[in-house]
Amino acid sequence: VQLMESGGGLVQPGGSLRLSCATSGVTFRRYTMSWFRRPPGKESEFVAGIRASGGHAYYADSVKDRFTISRDSGKTTLFLQMDNLNPEDTAVYYCAADSSLILSQLRVPDAYDYWGRGTQVTVSS
């Protein structure tokens, strides 16, 4: 399994970015896919995730109604649409995958077996 993020960059407050996670070796119907982020000087935190079964999406309270997670099964690509960004969203964003998570593990970084290298998102004026 390989994951590669792209789409990060510098954006002004209130702006938008769309992150992509290209995958290989992943079948979306079998793998839970999530986005995490690591703000400067802080621990990794869950952002959003899509479960393998049913495709239901889950979000951190801090990004709900601003971020949208989606997946393109045909291209095996995971996306994170980020709108109305603010400086607190500045972080390195990672996509993660696992084929054996239960719901209670969704927001736990250590529960995921596969990670990308991350893409930097900086929100600043």
Side-chain angles (χ1 to χ4, degrees):
V1 172
Q2 292 185 323
L3 310 175
M4 181 176 295
E5 303 91 342
S6 62
L10 174 64
V11 63
Q12 292 186 341
S16 298
L17 281 175
R18 189 192 196 202
L19 303 184
S20 299
C21 175
T23 74
S24 64
V26 170
T27 304
F28 283 158
R29 67 177 182 273
R30 294 180 54 198
Y31 282 77
T32 292
M33 302 292 301
S34 292
W35 290 95
F36 287 80
R37 66 186 182 187
R38 180 174 291 179
K42 296 183 179 180
E43 298 292 322
S44 293
E45 60 187 32
F46 174 80
V47 175
I50 296 183
R51 293 197 69 197
S53 58
H56 188 79
Y58 298 81
Y59 296 92
D61 288 342
S62 60
V63 306
K64 198 173 296 183
D65 299 325
R66 299 189 299 122
F67 291 10
T68 304
I69 188 172
S70 62
R71 59 191 186 187
D72 182 336
S73 296
K75 296 182 179 179
T76 63
T77 302
L78 182 73
F79 301 101
L80 184 69
Q81 177 66 40
M82 305 186 296
D83 298 317
N84 193 21
L85 286 160
N86 59 62
E88 290 69 38
D89 296 315
T90 295
V92 179
Y93 284 71
Y94 300 88
C95 65
D98 198 273
S99 62
S100 60
L101 288 180
I102 60 176
L103 183 57
S104 62
Q105 296 173 309
L106 182 73
R107 301 167 191 263
V108 180
D110 288 347
Y112 290 77
D113 283 341
Y114 304 103
W115 291 83
R117 294 187 175 184
T119 185
Q120 176 70 46
V121 172
T122 302
V123 184
S124 175
S125 56

